[in-house]
Amino acid sequence: SRDGGFGLGRAALPEEIAAWDIDIRPDGQGLPVGSGDVYTGEELYIDYCSACHGDFGEAVGRWPVLAGGYGTLDGDDPHKTIGSYWPYLSTVWDYVHRAMPYGAAQSLSDDEVYAITAYLLYLNDMVDDDFELSNENFLEVPLRNEDAFFMDDRATTELTVFSGEPCMENCAESVSITANAMVLNVTPETAVEAV
Amino acid sequence: MTDTPKFTQSRRQFLAGAAVATGAAATGKLVHAQAASPDPAITELQPWQQYLGPGVDNAPYGVPSPHEAHVIRRNVEWLTADTVSSINFTPLHELEGIITPNGLCFERHHSGVADIPWADHRLMINGLVDTPMVFTMDDLMRFPRENRTYFLECAANTGMEWRGAQLNGVQFTHGMIHNVVYTGVPLRLLLEEAGVQTNGTWLLAEGADASGMTRSIPMEKALDDCLVATHMNGERLRAEQGYPVRLVVPGWEGNMWVKWLRRIEVGDMPWHHREETSKYTDLLADGQARRFTWEMDAKSVITNPSPQAPITHGPGPTVLTGVAWSGRGTIPRVDVTLDGGINWHRARMSGPSLDKSMHRFYFEFEWDGRPLLLQSRAHDSTGYVQPTKDQLRAVRGVNSIYHNNGIQTWAINEGGQAENVEVG
């Protein structure tokens, strides 16, 4: 570091910050003024989203599932969707606005993002079909799984457990193979041979 | 051989060594193979002995020998919906040392490779700062630079193996990693230029690509060792690695190393964006999920022999080698086993031991031609010892996707072929 800095770069203009600073936080910071309802969102969703994500958020092929899966997280086959897994609605708004539709990011207006977000809430059985989402009521819609996340606890649950001098000799009486990748045979074929 | 070795051995030691060698030959241990007939690779005139090769202007930017055309990044089609938001894999089984060649560094994009001219890129710092700033790339090149060697491992590396042995090759099971020398400006210097306010405890790093990749990073880490990097292995970043500028977050999961870095916002709480809620959170068996699992735990893998690199030479002297790394420090020690973990041996570390960098280990042994169960076990400088997959599953279950640093087993059969297996 150098006292007073290096004097490099220049001050950002308000218009420049406004153009790039589009992020939204769980407390609503960054949300623009606007609104959109479920019906409007459904039309937009069918036009811009359903080809990949399915008419009801069930997804086509391997594209992400957006709805359903409630109560599956502690099961053998968890379905992680906005409704079942995501903690904050702000993330939905932020991500749809910044990165969707895939291949045409940042093409949706603020009101369109509110409407699509409202429709995604409806697909996840969280609002009625006449619901309208706006910057005014945005924080009144908590998602189901908000409280299921906790800060990385490996320092207390793993690091000490996995430390210390391990066994070096005669650590087991016998060892046998319990799973084989060859049985699955899902690995791509060997690359082209050396010339 | 009549001269006495001049520097490393006294004449007495040399004679003693010669006596041992003679004795070994007498008992048949050092009999070298004898060719049945002259080797045409020697006795026949080869074209490269006779004809001229390409001149110095043939390849202004060189590429590997055509005989190494199989040493390439590979993808696994079924893993993702398309190849644009997807992953490919570094061919670890073909590499040596600790530095990954730039063209072989695995790629992970969320909206493809952004193509950004050096002159058109801008880096903005805004939020809780005294002066929001804009820097050009040329501005960034006027700050003091540092050179550091770090591994970058995708949080999902080995993630397909949580439920069992699945992909048959170290490239696919462990190849979401690369290790290069970065040249960059300490992020701290750029933040100081803008003047972080006292309540600025977090920052949001954002990429310029169409995914607008964002991650929240605690200010403590940003001020510690993060770099805003412009170069890798001496040259400017490859486009697929974030040209013209990427964030370097040593020891932490690859997703946070935002490529095509265009903006850093300072705030007073994390943003909980898509890549730290929906993704890069680790679901445990009880339905709860860890968030902000930043560090990559100590890990190792044997790269040779491995399913893509079988033993082809038959019994006798055999070189086992692999790589190890830890997001919490260096790797002073790696143990290897040939019998699935019943007995372990200290491997030989070779090459630089750098903080949060890949390390290379070797174990040379006489293979007797019997089946082997190979494993490696890394110890890092904090005393942490790489756990087995079963130890991890006991804590986390099988659905956490990310951060699988469990011990890998390769089964070697009598023919020297290797397979990805699990043992118990």
Side-chain angles (χ1 to χ4, degrees):
Chain A
S1 59
R2 195 171 93 166
D3 283 348
F6 293 87
L8 296 170
R10 62 167 176 83
L13 298 175
E15 300 90 328
E16 294 170 330
I17 296 171
W20 275 10
D21 184 354
I22 60 171
D23 52 78
I24 313 299
R25 286 197 322 203
D27 63 354
Q29 186 189 82
L31 271 178
V33 172
S35 63
D37 60 29
V38 170
Y39 283 116
T40 307
E42 179 178 22
E43 289 182 11
L44 292 164
Y45 180 91
I46 295 298
D47 285 350
Y48 297 134
C49 317
S50 62
C52 293
H53 294 293
D55 286 353
F56 304 101
E58 78 282 12
V60 175
R62 290 191 59 87
W63 298 107
V65 178
L66 302 180
Y70 325 132
T72 66
L73 297 182
D74 59 355
D76 189 50
D77 185 21
H79 289 247
K80 297 192 287 184
T81 72
I82 293 169
S84 71
Y85 190 64
W86 290 35
Y88 303 113
L89 188 63
S90 59
T91 313
V92 180
W93 204 103
D94 175 271
Y95 186 69
V96 170
H97 179 240
R98 78 168 51 244
M100 291 288 125
Y102 189 59
Q106 297 201 44
S107 61
L108 297 169
S109 71
D110 292 346
D111 285 344
E112 288 175 329
V113 177
Y114 276 109
I116 289 171
T117 304
Y119 185 63
L120 290 171
L121 288 171
Y122 173 74
L123 284 182
N124 278 289
D125 307 323
M126 298 185 64
V127 297
D128 294 328
D129 59 6
D130 60 352
F131 177 73
E132 181 179 66
L133 182 69
S134 73
N135 58 299
E136 300 282 330
N137 65 1
F138 196 90
L139 298 185
E140 297 165 16
V141 193
L143 299 186
R144 289 184 183 85
N145 204 44
E146 177 175 343
D147 296 332
F149 293 84
F150 63 96
M151 188 69 189
D152 182 6
D153 65 347
R154 284 176 292 174
T156 54
T157 57
E158 296 184 8
L159 295 194
T160 52
V161 179
F162 298 155
S163 293
E165 181 59 32
C167 177
M168 291 295 286
E169 289 181 1
N170 302 314
C171 304
E173 289 204 2
S174 66
V175 168
S176 59
I177 293 173
T178 56
N180 300 63
M182 300 263 253
V183 175
L184 286 174
N185 196 25
V186 291
T187 310
E189 293 300 309
T190 308
V192 292
E193 293 300 317
V195 184
Chain B
M1 190 172 176
T2 54
D3 290 348
T4 302
K6 289 190 175 79
F7 303 112
T8 58
Q9 292 175 303
S10 69
R11 179 164 178 82
R12 180 181 297 182
Q13 285 172 320
F14 171 68
L15 290 172
V20 169
T22 306
T27 59
K29 283 181 183 166
L30 267 181
V31 176
H32 290 97
Q34 175 78 50
S37 57
D39 184 352
I42 298 169
T43 58
E44 291 180 9
L45 193 60
Q46 304 295 329
W48 53 87
Q49 293 177 277
Q50 198 162 23
Y51 307 118
L52 304 178
V56 294
D57 58 351
N58 178 62
Y61 195 120
V63 296
S65 160
H67 309 290
E68 298 297 313
H70 55 293
V71 183
I72 52 172
R73 297 183 284 222
R74 304 284 308 277
N75 91 317
V76 176
E77 201 176 322
W78 55 264
L79 277 178
T80 50
D82 73 353
T83 58
V84 172
S85 180
S86 192
I87 188 84
N88 65 20
F89 300 87
T90 301
L92 292 177
H93 60 294
E94 297 283 359
L95 301 180
E96 270 291 342
I98 66 165
I99 296 297
T100 315
N102 286 340
L104 294 175
C105 288
F106 87 97
E107 301 167 71
R108 204 301 185 226
H109 320 303
H110 293 75
S111 288
V113 180
D115 173 18
I116 307 174
W118 179 271
D120 291 349
H121 192 73
R122 303 287 182 271
L123 174 62
M124 179 184 289
I125 299 180
N126 73 307
L128 299 177
V129 293
D130 295 335
T131 310
M133 301 290 302
V134 172
F135 300 100
T136 64
M137 291 307 302
D138 289 345
D139 291 335
L140 293 182
M141 296 310 294
R142 297 173 67 190
F143 283 91
R145 300 194 279 272
E146 289 186 0
N147 292 285
R148 301 274 186 238
T149 304
Y150 295 122
F151 75 84
L152 186 172
E153 184 183 16
C154 179
N157 198 22
T158 322
M160 298 82 75
E161 306 291 310
W162 269 112
R163 283 173 181 263
Q166 182 161 241
L167 286 163
N168 208 33
V170 69
Q171 180 169 18
F172 304 110
T173 57
H174 290 75
M176 296 184 198
I177 188 167
H178 45 73
N179 198 71
V180 308
V181 184
Y182 293 98
T183 306
V185 179
L187 176 55
R188 172 178 49 83
L189 296 183
L190 301 180
L191 290 169
E192 284 174 2
E193 203 72 12
V196 174
Q197 297 175 353
T198 51
N199 55 342
T201 51
W202 288 81
L203 59 81
L204 184 76
E206 180 178 73
D209 64 316
S211 77
M213 172 62 60
T214 42
R215 284 298 301 260
S216 303
I217 300 172
M219 186 60 71
E220 188 178 22
K221 179 69 172 177
L223 297 178
D224 179 18
D225 58 2
C226 289
L227 296 176
V228 174
T230 51
H231 292 67
M232 57 193 290
N233 289 337
E235 64 180 357
R236 282 184 177 169
L237 296 173
R238 293 292 170 95
E240 67 269 28
Q241 301 299 340
Y243 181 95
V245 62
R246 88 172 308 163
L247 197 60
V248 168
V249 192
W252 289 19
E253 60 187 14
N255 180 257
M256 307 177 78
W257 298 48
V258 174
K259 296 188 286 191
W260 312 291
L261 181 70
R262 81 162 179 200
R263 195 171 65 92
I264 291 166
E265 181 173 345
V266 177
D268 57 2
M269 62 176 69
W271 279 257
H272 296 285
H273 274 185
R274 190 250 197 180
E275 307 293 327
E276 53 204 18
T277 55
S278 171
K279 309 298 178 187
Y280 307 101
T281 51
D282 310 349
L283 181 63
L284 304 186
D286 64 359
Q288 305 274 306
R290 287 173 176 160
R291 61 160 56 114
F292 299 138
T293 46
W294 297 311
E295 287 107 339
M296 301 306 292
D297 293 312
K299 186 169 174 179
S300 68
V301 70
I302 294 168
T303 54
N304 308 79
S306 66
Q308 296 160 287
I311 301 175
T312 55
H313 53 59
T318 301
V319 174
L320 178 158
T321 188
V323 285
W325 61 94
S326 170
R328 295 188 177 85
T330 59
I331 300 288
R333 168 180 166 190
V334 174
D335 305 324
V336 298
T337 175
L338 307 180
D339 57 17
I342 298 175
N343 295 292
W344 294 84
H345 315 273
R346 293 279 285 259
R348 181 171 61 86
M349 309 304 296
S350 177
S353 175
L354 301 168
D355 189 39
K356 304 177 181 67
S357 168
M358 201 177 266
H359 292 58
R360 173 65 59 175
F361 65 86
Y362 295 95
F363 181 70
E364 293 87 2
F365 68 103
E366 288 281 322
W367 183 41
D368 60 10
R370 283 187 289 194
L372 305 170
L373 291 171
L374 305 181
Q375 297 178 340
S376 62
R377 181 172 68 191
H379 300 236
D380 78 13
S381 48
T382 72
Y384 175 96
V385 182
Q386 183 183 1
T388 64
K389 290 188 190 177
D390 283 339
Q391 284 178 297
L392 286 176
R393 290 179 187 129
V395 178
R396 307 184 195 171
V398 295
N399 289 318
S400 56
I401 299 179
Y402 307 105
H403 293 280
N404 184 352
N405 67 316
I407 289 174
Q408 173 67 47
T409 309
W410 305 127
I412 310 290
N413 67 17
E414 294 90 338
Q417 297 292 312
E419 186 190 1
N420 175 10
V421 301
E422 295 208 1
V423 295

